[in-house]
């Protein structure tokens, strides 16, 4: 069964009109915040409860509030309630992850069910029905650990269910909310009143259809790897066949990095401090001991055995680059720290990150571009053209950088520039269009490709003089300029705001394209229709 996200503002307006509910026969809702277990009095009689939620969709930024209701013995689910009471739990640690949220609170003994999952930043809420997830019971004097809930976007809506991979939050609590560890552990009750439903295959579906394809990277032998949600790495063979490799856990991954180590050919990093390795001739991802690396989100990893390893780490508005001589159980030390710009009104500013064979780097919306050299251990900061705000940024392994900077009315008519020396010098691109949708894409032979403007028939244009003049190149009905890899392979990763992904490939310098991979397939569609 599939559902959809609702608009939170509309719900708030309905709540504001609660005084008219008797006339409208729509009922009122009373929301009460649950008590933090660390602030609970010994005489309260309430019991600590914990649950985490991982979302496999780009619809939201991660749930930050959930609503529960207590089930009254003997009640019928269809009973009309003029006034209903909800208990509200808020997220414990906002900086630990993007797609995974941790909730801890206290509840009086009784039976409960989930009502809504809410993301105020995305202005979305999801109604939850106990017939799918089930209800849970809180006893006296024994904490309850409900494990993980999974929310995923399907072909026909949103689905949710309980995780079989993550049935305990003990590790998450120990890493991100250690003050609560003493309240939970091996003695914690599972809480659920009913076993995992036999038809609840939401997690299996989500792991087989992860949303997103980030940080696509070509490996030395021509294969391509990309990071995705649900602890997944997408792997492309040199023949164009894609497969999904899942980690034991379900945290979202942000990037992959090819390495040449005895026990690994690929390293993956992600939210909640995820650090994983893939061995040669293996289709498994194994956890790597993170040593003393502080809790946070890992955005990128780079380095080598000689110069050591560098991890780009984000927690809230703090961006750190950590270094360790060894990858496994490393002794990590911060070698650079930046404060990311942002505002309460508009949220965090844009951030782009990259790594290549010799550097790990970042670019901020403000126009600051920094990169750390593995061999020298030094950071170099440069700036966008004329120190203008960045709206798009692309870094290629050969050091070429291609950007869009804010220009025109409210920055809505950006200008394009390209640099061949890692941002030391910028060459303006003369565009035949008023509106550019993406930066230009450098071909391996030095020419530049430009996607035709948003109001034009789909096509790619080509320039042989660093963007001064442009001519026709090839039809192109896809969005955004393609990714060009050292082998000559070109990929166009098409992703909508929900996280639906389609990956197209070209082996003739981006002239002809074919669909190779999608997380929407006929089998999954038929399965959802059957449900």
């Amino acid at each position: 069964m599939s559902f959809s996200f609702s608009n939170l503002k509309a719900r708030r307006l309905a709540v504001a009109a609660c005084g008219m509910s008797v006339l409208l026969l729509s009922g009122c809702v009373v929301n009460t915040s649950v008590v933090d277990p660390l602030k609970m009095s010994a005489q309260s009689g309430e019991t600590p409860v914990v649950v985490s939620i991982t979302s496999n969709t780009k619809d939201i930024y991660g749930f930050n509030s959930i609503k529960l209701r207590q089930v009254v013995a003997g009640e019928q689910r269809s009973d009309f309630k003029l006034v209903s009471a909800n208990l509200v739990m808020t997220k414990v640690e906002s900086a630990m992850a993007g797609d995974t949220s941790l909730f801890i609170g206290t509840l009086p003994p009784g039976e409960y069910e989930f009502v809504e999952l809410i993301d105020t930043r995305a202005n979305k809420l999801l109604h939850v029905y106990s017939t799918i997830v089930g209800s849970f019971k809180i006893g006296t004097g024994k904490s309850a650990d409900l494990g993980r809930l999974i929310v995923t976007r399907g072909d026909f809506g949103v689905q949710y269910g309980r995780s079989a991979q993550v049935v305990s939050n003990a590790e998450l609590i120990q890493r991100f909310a250690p003050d609560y560890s003493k309240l939970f552990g091996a003695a914690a009750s599972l809480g659920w009143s009913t076993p995992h439903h036999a038809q609840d295959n939401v997690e299996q579906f989500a792991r087989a259809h992860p949303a997103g394809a980030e940080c696509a990277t070509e490996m030395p032998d021509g294969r391509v790897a990309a990071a995705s949600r649900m602890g997944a790495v997408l792997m492309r063979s040199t023949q164009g066949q894609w497969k999904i490799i899942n980690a034991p856990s379900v945290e979202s991954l942000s990037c992959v990095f090819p390495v040449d180590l005895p026990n690994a050919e690929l390293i993956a990093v992600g939210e909640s401090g995820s650090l994983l390795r893939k061995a040669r001739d293996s289709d498994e991802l194994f956890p790597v001991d993170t040593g003393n690396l502080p809790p946070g989100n890992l955005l990128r990893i780079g380095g080598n055995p000689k110069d050591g390893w560098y991890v780009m780490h984000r927690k809230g508005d703090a961006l750190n680059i950590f270094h360790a001589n060894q990858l496994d159980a490393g002794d990590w030390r911060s070698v650079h720290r930046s404060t990311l710009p942002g505002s309460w009104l508009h949220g965090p500013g844009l951030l782009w990150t990259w790594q290549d064979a010799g550097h790990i780097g970042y670019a901020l919306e403000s126009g600051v571009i920094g990169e750390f050299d593995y061999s020298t251990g030094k950071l170099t900061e440069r700036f966008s053209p004329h120190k203008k705000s960045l709206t798009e940024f692309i870094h290629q392994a050969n050091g070429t950088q291609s950007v869009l900077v804010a220009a025109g009315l409210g920055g809505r008519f950006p200008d394009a520039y390209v640099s061949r020396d890692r941002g030391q010098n910028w060459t303006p691109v003369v565009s035949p269009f008023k509106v550019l949708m993406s930066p230009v894409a450098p071909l391996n032979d030095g020419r530049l490709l430009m996607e035709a403007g948003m109001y034009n028939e789909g096509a790619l244009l080509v320039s042989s003089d660093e963007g001064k003049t442009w001519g026709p190149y090839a039809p192109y009905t896809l969005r955004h300029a393609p990714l060009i890899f050292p082998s000559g392979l070109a990929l166009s990763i098409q992703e909508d705001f929900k996280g639906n992904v389609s990956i197209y490939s070209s082996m003739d310098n981006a002239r002809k394209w074919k669909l190779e991979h999608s997380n929407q397939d006929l089998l999954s569609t038929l399965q959802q229709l059957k449900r």
Side-chain angles (χ1 to χ4, degrees), residues 134-426:
S135 59
F136 61 93
K137 289 184 177 180
I138 300 298
T140 302
K142 190 175 184 179
S143 59
D145 187 341
L146 302 178
R148 187 75 54 90
L149 299 182
I150 303 296
V151 176
T152 186
R153 167 67 69 172
D155 292 334
F156 296 104
V158 180
Q159 303 174 4
Y160 51 83
R162 285 153 57 179
S163 172
Q165 295 289 127
V166 186
V167 296
S168 170
N169 289 294
E171 184 178 346
L172 202 62
I173 294 171
Q174 178 61 44
R175 187 153 175 78
F176 288 96
D179 291 344
Y180 296 88
S181 292
K182 61 184 179 182
L183 303 175
F184 302 94
S189 165
L190 295 180
W192 294 103
S193 305
T194 56
H196 196 152
H197 199 287
Q199 293 184 338
D200 181 358
N201 62 353
V202 170
E203 183 177 52
Q204 297 96 305
F205 175 87
R207 285 167 68 82
H209 300 82
E214 308 297 329
C215 183
T217 304
E218 189 170 52
M219 302 178 70
D221 61 2
R223 290 175 296 160
V224 172
S228 191
R229 288 176 174 80
M230 298 302 296
V233 169
L234 310 181
M235 294 288 298
R236 179 190 187 273
S237 72
T238 54
Q239 289 75 42
Q241 302 297 316
W242 289 84
K243 62 183 176 182
I244 298 169
I245 302 175
N246 290 104
S249 191
V250 296
E251 275 70 29
S252 297
L253 301 180
S254 56
C255 200
V256 292
F257 182 58
V259 295
D260 184 13
L261 298 174
N263 65 350
E265 65 169 359
L266 191 73
I267 301 295
V269 296
E271 67 174 7
S272 304
S274 299
L275 182 59
L276 307 164
R277 65 174 177 86
K278 177 194 173 300
R280 291 175 182 80
D281 303 319
S282 171
D283 284 342
E284 294 184 81
L285 294 171
F286 298 97
V288 176
D289 187 341
T290 55
N292 61 357
L293 193 63
N297 292 299
L298 306 185
L299 306 182
R300 294 273 173 165
I301 185 169
N304 53 66
K306 176 177 177 291
D307 299 318
W309 303 95
Y310 293 86
V311 166
M312 194 169 295
H313 173 288
R314 180 175 184 175
K315 187 173 184 182
D317 63 356
L319 182 69
N320 275 276
I321 297 177
F322 286 93
H323 174 263
N325 291 325
Q326 66 181 42
L327 185 61
D328 194 39
D331 180 18
W332 297 93
R333 295 286 184 265
S334 178
V335 293
H336 175 71
R337 187 183 191 280
S338 296
T339 299
L340 299 175
S343 69
W344 174 84
L345 180 62
H346 299 102
L350 297 175
L351 169 69
W352 299 267
T353 60
W354 75 89
Q355 86 280 323
D356 54 35
H359 304 80
I360 188 169
Y362 61 87
L364 307 181
E365 183 179 0
S366 62
V368 174
I369 302 170
E371 64 176 16
F372 214 92
D373 189 300
Y374 305 148
S375 60
T376 65
K378 294 182 178 180
L379 179 87
T380 300
E381 279 196 345
R382 301 188 176 99
F383 297 94
S384 61
H386 309 296
K387 297 185 178 181
K388 291 185 176 181
S389 297
L390 290 167
T391 61
E392 292 285 350
F393 182 97
I394 294 175
H395 174 90
Q396 285 200 312
N398 63 4
T400 297
Q401 294 176 348
S402 181
V403 302
L404 295 181
V405 298
L409 181 64
R412 302 185 185 193
F413 301 93
D415 292 330
Y417 290 81
V418 67
S419 171
R420 301 289 188 177
D421 54 9
R422 315 187 74 88
Q424 295 182 61
N425 298 282
W426 295 97

Side-chain angles (χ1 to χ4, degrees), residues 444-515:
N444 292 331
D445 61 10
R447 292 179 296 168
L448 300 175
L449 293 183
M450 175 186 289
E451 178 197 12
M454 63 182 297
Y455 303 113
N456 297 272
E457 186 175 346
L460 288 174
L461 306 183
V462 66
S463 172
S464 301
D465 55 8
E466 288 294 271
K468 295 182 178 64
T469 59
W470 297 87
Y473 185 71
Y476 188 72
T477 58
L478 306 174
R479 302 184 308 275
H480 305 297
L483 302 173
I484 312 295
F485 294 99
S487 68
L489 170 70
L491 292 181
S492 182
I493 300 176
Q494 303 294 297
E495 184 175 4
D496 65 18
F497 71 95
K498 300 174 183 178
N500 297 322
V501 175
S502 298
I503 303 178
Y504 295 80
S505 73
S506 172
M507 292 300 297
D508 60 357
N509 268 338
R511 291 184 181 277
K512 296 179 181 178
W513 295 88
K514 67 175 182 179
L515 176 64

